[in-house]
Amino acid sequence: MGNCILRRALWCLILFVCYTQLTYAFSVKDESGIVFFIHSEEDDTCSIVIVPNQDHVTIASSYSYKGKSYTPVEIEDGACMNNDLMTSIILPSTIKRLGQSAFNGCIKLRNISLPNGVTTINPYCFANCTSLTGFTAPAALTRIGQSAFSNSGIEHVELGEQIEEIGSSAFAHCEKLQGFRLSSLVIQTISRSLFRECNSLVGVTLPNTITSIESNAFENCSKLAAIDLPDSLRMLGGDAFEGCTSLTHVEMPSGVILGVCLRSYPFIKSIHFTKGSRPVIDDAFYFSMPNLKSLTFDEGITEITGSAFSGCDSLESVIFPTSMRYIRHNAFQRCESLEHVVLPPNLITIGDEVFSYCSSLKRIVLPVTLDTIGRRAFNDCIALEDVEFPRNLKVIGDDAFNQCSSLKSVKTGGELETIGFAAFERAGVQQLTLGESLKSIEDNAFAYCNITEVYSWNPQPPVIEFNTFNTVTTQNAILTVPAEAVDAYKEATYWKNFKNIVGKDLSAVNQIDNKDISVVIQNGQIVVGGVKDVRIEVYNMQGHLVYCGFDTMIEMPTSGLYLVKVGTQVFKVKI
C-alpha cells in the first residue's frame, strides 16, 4: 500500500514539473515598449513580438527578466506590421530570422541594416514598405519567402552565393526596381511572378545554375530590353516574359522547353540560340512568337526537334550552324513568311512535315550530305520553284512535295533509290530527271502532273506502279533513257505505257569543260565564272564545308584560304 502511494506521488511530481516547463513561456514588455517573448526558463534566447510605432527603433542585443539576460534571435511574425511612423530600425547581430509580415506596411521605413547572421526572410516580411529603397543581403541569407519585398520601393538587389530559394512574387510590383544580380551557386529556380509588374527593371543577371524560369516571372517588365539567359536553363514557363514589350531580341540557350501559351510573345522579333550542343526541344516555340522574323544558332547545336518553330508565321530568315545534323518533324511547319532557306552543309535528315505549308517558300538549297527527305516535308509549299537534289540523297518520302504547284523541274541525284507515295502529286513538274541508282517510284508519285520530258538514267528500269505517272504523261511525254536500255524500258511493267521512248548516249551528259571555269576574288567575294546551275562547294583549310549551293558569287565569313569545288574541279583561293 505504501509503495503504491509513493509511486502516485512521484508521478504527480513529474507531471507538475512538465507542466511548469510547458507553460513557462511568456511575454515581457521592457521600458522602451518592446515586447519580447521568453521561450523557456532554461533557454537564454527570446523573440521580439511587438515593436512600438515610433520614428527610430533600436532592438537591444539582450533583454533582462528577473535578473537573467535573454538574447533576441528572431523578429516574430507581424512584430512591426503597419508601423506607419517608423523610418529606421537597428537590429542586433544576434538576429537570425525575420518573421512573416514582420515589417509589412511600414510605409516610411527607409533604412534597415540586416545582421550578417540572418538566414531567412519570411513571406511578406517587407511587403508594402514603399519608402524602402534598398537592402544589403546578409552573407548567411539562404531563403527569401513569398512576396517578401512585394510592392516595396526597393531599387537594386544583389544576392550572394548562399541563396537557395526565392519565393514566388518576392519582388513583384516593385515599380522602382531597376537592377537585380543573383550570384548563387545552388539556386535552380526563378519562381513564379518573381518580378511581375516591375516596370522599371532594365538589368538582370542570373547564375549558371538556373534550370527553370517559372510562369509570369517577368510579366509586364516593360523596360526590360535584354536578358542573358544562363546556358543551364531547361524550362521557360508560359508567359514568363509576357508584356515585356521592349524585349525584341533574346539570347536563348539551346534545349529550352517553352511552357505552352499560344502567341504570348508578340514583341520578340529575333532569337539567337547560344552555347552548347543540346537540341532545340519539341514544341519549344510552337505558335508562341507570331512576329518572330529571324533565327540564328551557335556552332555546336546539332538538332532541332519536333514542332520547335511551327506556326511562327512571320519568320523570314534562318541561319543554321554547320554543326546541325537533324531537323525533326514539323520544325518549321506553317512558317508562312519563309521564302529562301539554305540548309546547313552537314545536314543528314529533313524530318516529316518540316516545311509543310510554308506557302511563301520559293527556293531551298539542300546540302550534299542529305540522306533523307521525310514524309510531307515540303507538302503544300505552293511557291516552291527551285530544288536541287544532292547526289547522296537516298529517299524522298511520301507526299514530300505534294501540291508544290510552282515546281516545274525535278532533277534527282545519282544515288537516289526511292521516291515515295504521292511524293510529287499535283506538283507543277514539267521536266523530270531520274538518277542512275533509282530503284523504285511508289504509286501516285507524279499523279496529276503534266510532264512533257522524262529522263531516266538507270539502265535497269526502276519499279513503278500503275498510277506512278498519269495517262497524260505516258501518252504525251518523251521518255529518254540510256541508249542501251531502250528495249528494257519498252518491255518493263508500266514503263511500256510510254508512247515515246528514245535512247541517248550518256558519255557526254553533265560534263563541264574545265577550260571555261574561272574562280577569282572580287570585292572580298568568291566569284565563279563559266558555269550555270552547277553545284559549288567551299571548304576551309580545316576541311569543314562552309558553303554548298549554286550561287556564283559567294561571301565568306572570314578571310583566309579556301578550296572551291566546281563540279569535279577544285580551286584554291585566298581572301
Side-chain angles (χ1 to χ4, degrees):
M1 184 70 177
N3 288 336
C4 182
I5 295 174
L6 183 61
R7 283 197 300 270
R8 288 180 180 177
L10 182 60
W11 273 111
C12 287
L13 178 61
I14 292 171
L15 289 173
F16 175 77
V17 170
C18 291
Y19 175 78
T20 57
Q21 290 298 316
L22 290 171
T23 59
Y24 183 83
F26 60 93
S27 299
V28 180
K29 184 176 182 179
D30 83 338
E31 62 275 9
S32 67
I34 292 174
V35 178
F36 58 94
F37 181 80
I38 299 172
H39 300 282
S40 70
E41 189 174 17
E42 285 74 23
D43 191 358
D44 60 356
T45 63
C46 65
S47 300
I48 304 301
V49 179
I50 299 175
V51 175
N53 188 9
Q54 58 192 42
D55 189 2
H56 302 288
V57 176
T58 299
I59 305 298
S61 58
S62 66
Y63 290 91
S64 297
Y65 178 70
K66 292 185 177 182
K68 184 174 180 179
S69 294
Y70 296 91
T71 301
V73 295
E74 179 179 1
I75 306 297
E76 281 277 9
D77 297 351
C80 305
M81 188 173 179
N82 294 327
N83 283 8
D84 55 1
L85 299 179
M86 181 187 294
T87 61
S88 67
I89 184 170
I90 297 174
L91 303 177
S93 60
T94 56
I95 295 294
K96 307 290 190 221
R97 178 183 177 274
L98 303 179
Q100 182 168 324
S101 293
F103 299 92
N104 191 344
C106 295
I107 58 176
K108 292 185 178 179
L109 181 63
R110 296 191 302 269
N111 300 306
I112 186 167
S113 178
L114 300 183
N116 284 332
V118 171
T119 60
T120 304
I121 299 175
N122 274 292
Y124 300 94
C125 184
F126 293 98
N128 303 305
C129 293
T130 52
S131 298
L132 184 65
T133 58
F135 84 105
T136 300
L141 186 64
T142 59
R143 286 178 173 81
I144 297 176
Q146 176 184 349
S147 301
F149 292 88
S150 62
N151 197 38
S152 69
I154 202 162
E155 296 177 357
H156 296 278
V157 176
E158 186 163 345
L159 301 176
E161 297 179 351
Q162 304 303 316
I163 290 289
E164 299 174 3
E165 179 183 347
I166 304 174
S168 62
S169 303
F171 299 96
H173 301 277
C174 291
E175 296 183 356
K176 296 180 181 179
L177 182 62
Q178 298 176 30
F180 179 86
R181 177 181 291 273
L182 179 59
S183 304
S184 173
L185 300 177
V186 291
I187 194 168
Q188 295 185 341
T189 300
I190 298 298
S191 299
R192 178 174 52 85
S193 301
L194 184 60
F195 300 101
R196 188 175 188 175
E197 305 287 347
C198 293
N199 50 33
S200 296
L201 187 65
V202 294
V204 176
T205 302
L206 302 176
N208 203 33
T209 58
I210 298 296
T211 60
S212 174
I213 296 178
E214 294 185 346
S215 60
N216 307 99
F218 294 89
E219 183 180 350
N220 291 331
C221 294
S222 56
K223 292 186 179 178
L224 186 64
I227 183 168
D228 186 8
L229 297 175
D231 188 45
S232 54
L233 188 65
R234 298 291 188 275
M235 175 67 74
L236 185 60
D239 294 328
F241 293 95
E242 183 180 8
C244 297
T245 52
S246 298
L247 191 64
T248 59
H249 175 76
V250 175
E251 296 284 314
M252 183 77 70
S254 62
V256 172
I257 301 175
L258 189 68
V260 175
C261 192
L262 299 186
R263 298 187 176 267
S264 59
Y265 301 107
F267 39 84
I268 292 181
K269 293 180 172 58
S270 62
I271 300 177
H272 176 211
F273 288 89
T274 65
K275 307 169 187 173
S277 58
R278 287 180 284 122
V280 180
I281 299 296
D282 282 4
D283 304 317
F285 303 91
Y286 179 75
F287 278 97
S288 63
M289 297 184 181
N291 294 314
L292 180 68
K293 292 185 179 297
S294 67
L295 293 172
T296 55
F297 301 82
D298 269 356
E299 288 297 330
I301 299 172
T302 60
E303 182 178 357
I304 297 175
T305 64
S307 300
F309 302 100
S310 183
C312 293
D313 49 18
S314 295
L315 185 63
E316 297 174 352
S317 172
V318 182
I319 300 177
F320 296 98
T322 60
S323 56
M324 187 74 68
R325 305 295 297 277
Y326 306 98
I327 301 177
R328 304 297 188 187
H329 62 89
N330 303 84
F332 295 94
Q333 185 184 54
R334 298 189 186 277
C335 292
E336 296 175 358
S337 296
L338 271 180
E339 293 186 6
H340 178 80
V341 176
V342 178
L343 292 173
N346 296 300
L347 190 69
I348 296 173
T349 300
I350 298 175
D352 296 347
E353 302 191 61
V354 167
F355 293 100
S356 61
Y357 303 101
C358 291
S359 56
S360 298
L361 186 63
K362 293 182 179 179
R363 187 174 185 223
I364 187 87
V365 176
L366 305 177
V368 294
T369 54
L370 190 65
D371 179 86
T372 301
I373 297 176
R375 293 175 50 257
R376 300 173 62 85
F378 297 91
N379 177 65
D380 227 331
C381 293
I382 58 176
L384 187 62
E385 299 173 348
D386 186 12
V387 180
E388 292 287 344
F389 294 96
R391 181 171 182 81
N392 294 332
L393 184 67
K394 300 291 194 302
V395 177
I396 297 176
D398 296 349
D399 296 287
F401 294 89
N402 195 311
Q403 304 275 4
C404 293
S405 54
S406 298
L407 187 61
K408 306 302 182 186
S409 176
V410 171
K411 183 178 181 180
T412 66
E415 296 184 17
L416 184 69
E417 296 177 355
T418 302
I419 297 176
F421 175 82
F424 294 89
E425 182 178 6
R426 299 184 188 276
V429 180
Q430 297 175 4
Q431 185 181 77
L432 173 64
T433 303
L434 304 172
E436 60 269 23
S437 299
L438 189 63
K439 295 179 180 178
S440 64
I441 309 175
E442 299 295 332
D443 213 16
N444 292 314
F446 296 94
Y448 303 99
C449 295
N450 295 320
I451 304 175
T452 59
E453 299 176 65
V454 180
Y455 300 87
S456 182
W457 300 136
N458 190 341
Q460 300 295 322
V463 175
I464 63 174
E465 305 295 335
F466 178 75
N467 288 318
T468 294
F469 298 98
N470 60 25
T471 303
V472 173
T473 298
T474 57
Q475 294 298 310
N476 299 317
I478 298 175
L479 172 61
T480 303
V481 300
E484 71 275 15
V486 171
D487 290 340
Y489 277 84
K490 286 182 176 181
E491 295 174 3
T493 304
Y494 304 127
W495 285 108
K496 63 185 179 183
N497 294 340
F498 278 84
K499 299 302 181 184
N500 302 296
I501 302 177
V502 299
K504 185 172 183 177
D505 181 6
L506 299 186
S507 61
V509 173
N510 292 329
Q511 295 298 310
I512 301 174
D513 190 349
N514 184 38
K515 66 182 180 182
D516 293 332
I517 301 175
S518 64
V519 178
V520 297
I521 304 299
Q522 293 180 0
N523 299 321
Q525 292 183 316
I526 297 173
V527 178
V528 180
V531 295
K532 182 180 180 182
D533 295 330
V534 174
R535 183 179 299 276
I536 299 170
E537 301 169 14
V538 182
Y539 296 83
N540 62 23
M541 297 311 291
Q542 287 73 47
H544 298 141
L545 183 66
V546 295
Y547 173 81
C548 176
F550 299 86
D551 298 322
T552 55
M553 298 183 67
I554 307 163
E555 186 171 351
M556 290 292 99
T558 59
S559 59
L561 292 173
Y562 293 93
L563 296 177
V564 183
K565 184 179 179 183
V566 185
T568 59
Q569 307 301 315
V570 179
F571 302 82
K572 188 175 182 180
V573 296
K574 182 178 181 181
I575 298 178

